[in-house]
Each structure stands twice: as C-alpha cells, then as structure tokens.
C-alpha cells in the first residue's frame, strides 16, 4: 500500500450501483488524464539522480541531483502518490462539499450536505486508479464539484465510462441498472475457441459434468505438466476468473476449481476450462440487474453454503441488495471440518 494506488473492490462498486438505484441517484463518470503524472509530493522531499547525459557538477566536482516536484511515470511510488494527491483534494481541498473516505473501502468517498433539502444532498464518488464514477441526488451540487475537480486536476468528463468500466458493460434505465461482461467474454471466445460461439452445442452449466473427477486425476499427476500446457492453461483460467466476482457469480465455483490446478494442469482440465468458456460465451449477455421495483428491494440478504467435501470443503455465498448480487464468493476452506455445521 505504500507504493500502489488502491483499486475499488467489485463488491463495493456493485453496492454503489444498488444504492444508487434504490435512491434514484444520477450517475456520471470521469477519467483522469495521465493520473500518475498529476501526483504531487506534499509531505516529503524526494531527490533523484539525473540521467547520465544530463548530469551537471558544481565547481567542486560534486554532482547535482534533481528535486522532484512530481512522481516519475513508472516510478515505484507514482501510483501511491497519485492516490494520496486525489484523496487529499477530496478530504481537505474540497471545501464546498467535503468528502469523507469510507473506512472499509479506501476508493470510495462520500459527501453529505445537511441543509433544508430532504433528503440531504449526497454524492458518492468511487475511483478505480484513474477511472471515476459518481452517484448524486442533486445535479447542481455535483456539477459544481466536477467544475472544481477539473480546475484542480486534468480530467475528461463523461468519456464513455458510464456504459463500460473495468471490463463491465453497464446498461442504465429508469429505476434499474444491469451489469454484464459481454464485450470481455466475446473477446475471450475469439481468442480461445476454434469455432464461432454459435457453432457449439448448447452448454447448460459452467461446470464440466466430470470436473471434480478430472481435478482428482490431475492432482495425482502433480508436477508432470508440460511448460507449454501450463502457460496455456494459466492464461485461459486467469481470463475466466476475471469477470466472475463482478458479473458472473454463476461461474465462480467452476473457475475456482480450475484455478486450484494451476500447478498441475492436464489437457482434460484445459478442455473443462474451454467448456466453461463456451457456457459463458453462449450466455455472454447474462449479468446482474439492480432494480428498486423488486420486492424487498432495500432488504440486504446474505446466503452461504458448503459442498461438504471429503477433504477441504468449498464455501460459497452471495449477498443481495436491490434484487441483485452485490458480492459473491466461492473459496476453499482453510481446514478440514468435522461436521456439516462447522463446514457451513
């Protein structure tokens, strides 16, 4: 955390979508231009040695060093410096509608202005490194914030992030928001599948019918994976994992089992990964919809379960708000449990 810019969690971003839908909040987006070059040192002095062809010396032959006012692009601390600059502006420099940083999510800032308005004026701002998104219930106040932000930082407003962000396609409607990963999944299909997705037989589930048997067979051959297969398998499974926590929680279990075999992949498991990809490709427009019109929309509900495995069980769970999943997990437990109660 001392050198990197934090990125917003999928669960936090989806929770913002749900809250925005429930409270009829307007959405806007912005992109920070060359964000890592906009970070400013404010609490310390940093010196750097000049490149060889730019070095200068004083009359004693002592080399001059540079005093950095901003981070060098690609430097080890440029990401963190950008985040600190942005957070400092939000919490200290912005005085008209000052923001508070969320304790659980350092990439989400909230401004609440108590006044005569009912409900109070509220702005939620979340950033993924240099991609920002806001939810507000007062256009004039939020637009004023954008004006002040653009005067302090170089940003591009409403540059397309409203309908696509972090690999997610976003559809907006009156009282609802739908997120899905159609663009990302179709690009994966073009890269990994031998034929167009429409030429494959229908696949009804993300898990291969013999997924666990294939995993157990691969576990026995641990350490005998050819390097070419290992690279190919890791690349495919890593690509499958990316959309699962965000928009495809239905594929979390299958992708999680496949990911456990990263160090002992087999051709059969690779085919099982292709099977999962075909399922995702055939349902590429499937996603999560948040709506304020569903029953008990403001009720936050969480479910959890376990597969009661003979070894380490797999815990699965999802949380729901506004009729859609705001977080989902499928994770191998860290211990062997002695009862179904303990496993769940």
């Amino acid at each position: 955390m001392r050198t990197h810019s934090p990125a917003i969690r999928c669960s936090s971003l989806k929770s913002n979508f749900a809250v925005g839908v429930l409270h009829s909040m307007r959405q806007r987006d912005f992109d920070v231009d060359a964000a890592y070059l906009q970070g400013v040192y404010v609490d310390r002095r940093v010196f750097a040695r000049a490149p060889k062809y730019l070095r200068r010396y004083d009359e004693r032959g002592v080399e001059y060093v540079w005093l950095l006012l901003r981070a060098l692009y690609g430097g080890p601390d440029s990401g963190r410096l950008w985040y600190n600059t942005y957070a400092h502006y939000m919490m200290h420099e912005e005085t008209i509608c000052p923001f508070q940083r969320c304790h659980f999510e350092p990439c989400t800032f909230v401004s609440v202005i108590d006044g005569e308005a009912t409900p109070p004026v509220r702005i939620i701002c979340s950033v993924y490194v240099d991609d920002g998104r806001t939810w507000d219930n007062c256009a004039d106040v939020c637009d004023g914030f954008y004006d002040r932000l653009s005067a302090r930082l170089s940003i591009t407003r409403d540059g397309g992030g409203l309908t696509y962000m972090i690999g997610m396609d976003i559809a907006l409607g009156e009282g609802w928001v739908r997120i899905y990963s159609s663009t990302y999944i179709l690009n994966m299909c073009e890269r990994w599948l031998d034929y167009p997705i429409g030429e494959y037989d229908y696949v009804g589930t993300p898990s291969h019918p013999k997924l666990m048997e294939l995993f157990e067979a691969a576990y026995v051959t641990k350490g005998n994976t050819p390097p070419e297969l290992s690279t190919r398998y890791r690349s495919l499974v890593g690509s499958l994992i990316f959309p699962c926590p965000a928009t495809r929680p239905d594929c979390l279990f299958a992708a999680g089992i496949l990911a456990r075999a990263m160090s002992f992949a087999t051709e059969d498991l690779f085919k099982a990964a292709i099977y999962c990809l075909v399922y995702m490709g055939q349902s590429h427009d499937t996603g999560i919809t948040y709506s304020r019109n569903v029953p008990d929309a403001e009720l936050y509900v969480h479910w959890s379960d376990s597969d009661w495995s003979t070894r380490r069980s797999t815990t699965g769970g999802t949380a729901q708000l506004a009729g859609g999943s705001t977080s989902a997990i499928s994770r191998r437990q860290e211990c062997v449990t002695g009862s179904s109660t303990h496993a769940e």
Side-chain angles (χ1 to χ4, degrees):
M1 292 297 287
R2 293 184 178 182
T3 59
H4 295 82
S5 175
I8 187 170
R9 300 177 179 90
C10 287
S11 57
S12 301
L13 183 60
K14 292 193 292 184
S15 296
N16 289 343
F17 280 124
V19 171
V21 165
L22 291 175
H23 297 278
S24 304
M25 303 178 78
R26 184 189 62 156
Q27 294 188 42
R28 292 192 66 182
D29 73 279
F30 64 91
D31 180 75
V32 183
D33 305 324
Y36 281 16
L37 295 180
Q38 298 199 49
V40 179
Y41 291 104
V42 294
D43 58 347
R44 62 189 184 277
R45 296 193 300 172
V46 177
F47 298 92
R49 191 180 187 188
K52 188 174 182 179
Y53 52 87
L54 292 176
R55 292 173 187 170
R56 300 291 183 269
Y57 303 86
D58 64 9
E59 64 277 4
R60 300 168 298 168
V62 178
E63 180 182 343
Y64 287 113
V65 293
W66 289 352
L67 172 63
L68 299 182
L69 301 180
R70 296 178 181 268
L72 299 175
Y73 198 93
D77 62 342
S78 56
R80 190 62 178 180
L81 182 60
W82 148 247
Y83 171 76
N84 288 341
T85 301
Y86 176 78
H88 186 271
Y89 170 80
M90 296 292 282
M91 295 187 293
H92 301 288
E93 298 180 39
E94 174 57 55
T95 56
I96 297 179
C97 51
F99 287 79
Q100 291 186 341
R101 179 166 48 192
C102 177
H103 294 289
F104 171 77
E105 177 54 72
C107 294
T108 294
F109 300 81
V110 179
S111 174
V112 179
I113 303 176
D114 292 323
E116 298 180 357
T118 303
V121 175
R122 182 167 53 164
I123 304 175
I124 302 173
C125 182
S126 293
V127 291
Y128 186 91
V129 186
D130 60 347
D131 297 323
R133 196 177 193 91
T134 59
W135 293 259
D136 70 87
N137 60 356
C138 183
D140 292 339
V141 174
C142 187
D143 292 345
F145 160 70
Y146 268 86
D147 292 339
R148 294 187 296 275
L149 180 64
S150 61
R152 173 63 175 80
L153 303 169
S154 176
I155 66 172
T156 300
R157 312 186 203 185
D158 305 317
L162 200 62
T163 56
Y164 189 83
M165 182 179 183
I166 325 174
M168 293 189 304
D169 298 285
I170 305 169
L172 304 175
E174 182 62 33
W176 60 270
V177 171
R178 187 166 72 92
I179 58 175
Y180 55 106
S181 298
S182 178
T183 302
Y184 178 86
I185 292 173
L186 291 179
N187 288 337
M188 285 179 55
C189 292
E190 291 182 5
R191 175 184 178 186
W192 290 104
L193 299 183
D194 296 329
Y195 308 101
I197 188 63
E199 297 184 11
Y200 285 84
D201 293 335
Y202 172 73
V203 174
T205 61
S207 298
H208 189 279
K210 297 183 178 181
L211 177 60
M212 298 308 299
E213 297 177 18
L214 298 176
F215 176 82
E216 295 294 344
Y219 187 82
V220 176
T221 63
K222 183 182 291 188
N224 297 323
T225 304
E228 184 276 333
L229 172 59
S230 179
T231 300
R232 177 161 41 98
Y233 182 84
R234 293 180 182 185
S235 180
L236 173 57
V237 174
S239 300
L240 288 175
I241 291 174
F242 179 77
C244 291
T247 62
R248 298 305 299 263
D250 54 328
C251 301
L252 268 174
F253 177 78
I257 296 297
L258 292 169
R260 297 180 194 178
M262 289 290 197
S263 60
F264 50 89
T266 62
E267 286 291 349
D268 288 337
L269 279 177
F270 182 82
K271 293 177 181 178
I274 292 293
Y275 184 95
C276 182
L277 176 58
V278 171
Y279 167 81
M280 296 176 72
Q282 292 177 346
S283 57
H284 61 88
D285 56 351
T286 298
I288 302 172
T289 300
Y290 303 100
S291 172
R292 64 170 177 260
N293 300 318
V294 299
D296 299 323
E298 297 189 3
L299 181 63
Y300 181 80
V301 185
H302 197 285
W303 293 273
S304 65
D305 202 353
S306 169
D307 67 345
W308 299 2
S309 175
T310 54
R311 283 188 285 202
R312 295 188 185 181
S313 299
T314 299
T315 292
T318 183
Q320 179 175 299
L321 183 65
S325 171
T326 56
S327 67
I329 62 168
S330 179
R331 184 180 305 163
R332 186 180 66 169
Q333 296 180 0
E334 298 181 354
C335 63
V336 177
T337 59
S339 66
S340 60
T341 302
H342 189 192
E344 294 183 355

